[in-house]
């Protein structure tokens, strides 16, 4: 029997979608309910409807939205993920930007616990083509909890499943319960909280040479994916680079980017079409 989603569920998931982009279709009611169970107990909400009212009307609603931001997203990540794209960064992107003679600006737009931006920094250093002070890497995420862990920079073995031991030895220090990221990589990355659905927050990020937004658009519906891609286009000059996860695509979807397909990966370059505001 197919369960019919309740009105309470639909109202709450629509609020979550408009606030964070994260989309739960009708089949996900019990999943959402079980993820929210502990929060609902804390907020003394017996139904999803009462919980939605707490979020939108309760005195601690804003703080509760922050709890949700940390609770609802999938934070799975690891060092040197989709490595072919890191090769494009240290090859084509650097070729393009070094001609300009100013510092390279990179945005890791859904950085989770920090493995992605630290991988960008390590790859740039490993290329031998750039000094730490010749690039700035801004790393942002929706979830305050993952940002805290990213800043701490302490990682367990699973995060290194694609990392050669020589790189671990070079850039990390063994600790009692894992490995900590060390200088100069650590100070090449600046962390901040940005919700990709917040137009003011994304505008404040400013002009970038390359944006890495990998493995987050898959949790958004198509309209939201295209809206976020359009917003990125306002931050990239013509020729600027956009990297998405391998399950995410803008192919045939917009004239703001053209795809570059290599034998190992796909990435996008900003065209000169104006991005509608
Ligand atoms: C699966 S992780 C991807 C990490 C990394 N980019 C990678 O590819 O390994 C997805 C991240 O997107 C973040 N996220 C989800 N919705 C977001 C939003 N609206 N704005 C910013 N980040 C968001 C989550 O908090 C989570 O840390």
């Amino acid at each position: 029997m197919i369960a019919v989603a309740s009105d309470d569920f639909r109202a709450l998931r629509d609020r979550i979608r408009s606030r964070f982009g994260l989309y739960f279709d009708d089949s996900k009611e019990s999943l959402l309910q079980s993820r929210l169970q502990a929060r609902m107990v804390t907020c003394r909400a017996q139904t999803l409807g009462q919980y939605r009212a707490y979020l939108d009307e309760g005195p601690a609603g804003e703080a509760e939205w922050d709890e949700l931001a940390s609770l609802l997203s999938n934070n799975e990540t690891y060092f040197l993920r989709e490595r072919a794209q890191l090769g494009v960064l240290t090859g084509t992107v650097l070729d393009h930007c070094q001609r300009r003679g100013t510092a390279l600006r990179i945005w890791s737009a859904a950085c989770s616990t920090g493995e992605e931006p630290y991988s960008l920094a390590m790859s740039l250093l490993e290329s031998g083509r750039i000094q730490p002070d010749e690039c700035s890497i801004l790393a942002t995420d929706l979830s305050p909890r993952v940002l805290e862990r990213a800043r701490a920079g302490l990682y367990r073995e699973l995060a290194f499943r694609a990392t050669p031991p020589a790189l671990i030895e070079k850039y990390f220090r063994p600790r009692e319960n894992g490995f900590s990221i060390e200088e100069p990589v650590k100070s090449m990355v600046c962390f901040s909280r940005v919700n990709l659905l917040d137009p003011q927050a994304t505008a404040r990020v400013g002009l970038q040479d390359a944006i890495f937004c990998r493995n987050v658009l898959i949790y958004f519906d198509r309209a939201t994916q295209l809206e976020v891609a359009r917003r990125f286009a306002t931050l990239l000059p013509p020729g600027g680079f956009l990297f998405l996860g391998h399950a995410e695509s803008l192919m045939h979807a917009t004239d703001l980017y053209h795809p570059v397909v290599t034998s190992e990966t796909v990435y996008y370059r900003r065209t000169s079409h104006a991005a509608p505001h």
Side-chain angles (χ1 to χ4, degrees):
M1 198 178 76
I2 299 171
V4 178
S6 70
D7 289 346
D8 277 355
F9 163 74
R10 286 188 175 148
L12 177 60
R13 71 103 188 270
D14 289 349
R15 287 291 294 117
I16 293 170
R17 174 164 48 175
S18 67
R19 181 108 177 185
F20 299 148
L22 304 169
Y23 180 58
F24 294 84
D25 68 29
D26 278 0
S27 68
K28 302 274 167 46
E29 178 162 357
S30 45
L31 172 84
L32 188 68
Q33 182 112 33
S34 69
R35 281 215 204 156
L36 296 181
Q37 204 59 52
R39 294 307 316 159
M40 287 171 65
V41 170
T42 305
C43 302
R44 296 173 191 209
Q46 275 159 11
T47 64
L48 289 178
Q50 288 173 4
Y51 184 63
R52 188 195 56 72
Y54 183 96
L55 284 164
D56 283 340
E57 295 149 31
E62 278 306 306
E64 189 58 25
W65 275 113
D66 285 355
E67 290 291 336
L68 266 194
S70 293
L71 189 75
L72 291 181
S73 43
N74 174 349
N75 306 123
E76 160 64 14
T77 186
Y78 52 91
F79 286 102
L80 304 183
R81 188 176 196 177
E82 299 187 35
R83 201 164 177 177
Q85 294 186 336
L86 304 178
V88 176
L89 171 68
T90 56
T92 313
V93 176
L94 276 185
D95 290 345
H96 177 79
C97 296
Q98 283 189 329
R99 269 182 242 125
R100 204 189 47 209
T102 54
L104 178 69
R105 297 153 304 184
I106 308 174
W107 180 22
S108 167
C111 67
S112 187
T113 35
E115 288 88 331
E116 178 177 278
Y118 290 137
S119 297
L120 302 175
M122 277 192 291
S123 302
L124 288 166
L125 291 182
E126 280 297 288
S127 76
R129 298 183 62 187
I130 196 162
Q131 297 300 314
D133 61 355
E134 291 171 325
C135 80
S136 70
I137 301 173
L138 173 68
T140 66
D141 200 278
L142 173 69
S143 157
R145 213 162 296 157
V146 293
L147 287 168
E148 214 172 283
R149 289 172 54 195
R151 288 191 185 96
L154 181 65
Y155 298 96
R156 292 181 190 272
E157 224 144 275
L158 204 58
F160 299 103
R161 56 193 182 269
T163 311
L167 284 190
I168 303 179
E169 199 163 312
K170 190 165 170 185
Y171 293 106
F172 294 84
R173 179 187 297 202
R175 301 277 178 189
E176 202 181 316
N177 49 354
F179 296 85
S180 62
I181 189 89
E182 293 300 300
E183 298 300 343
V185 174
K186 194 164 188 201
S187 54
M188 287 170 74
V189 181
C190 175
F191 291 98
S192 179
R193 188 172 184 213
V194 172
N195 177 357
L196 293 174
L197 260 71
D198 177 343
Q200 278 100 33
T202 50
R204 276 196 297 273
V205 164
L207 213 57
Q208 300 294 318
D209 296 305
I211 299 175
F212 286 76
C213 182
R214 305 188 301 172
N215 305 300
V216 58
L217 295 185
I218 32 168
Y219 302 107
F220 298 172
D221 63 24
R222 192 61 174 154
T224 309
Q225 293 176 352
L226 295 176
E227 173 55 24
V228 171
R230 186 201 61 73
R231 216 168 276 164
F232 288 159
T234 65
L235 304 176
L236 288 169
F241 296 81
L242 174 63
F243 295 88
L244 303 178
H246 69 78
E248 299 158 333
S249 170
L250 291 177
M251 216 70 98
H252 311 301
T254 170
D255 61 4
L256 297 173
Y257 301 93
H258 70 83
V260 180
V261 183
T262 74
S263 57
E264 293 178 305
T265 189
V266 177
Y267 59 95
Y268 297 84
R269 296 197 70 173
R270 178 74 173 94
T271 61
S272 49
H273 288 275
H277 280 275

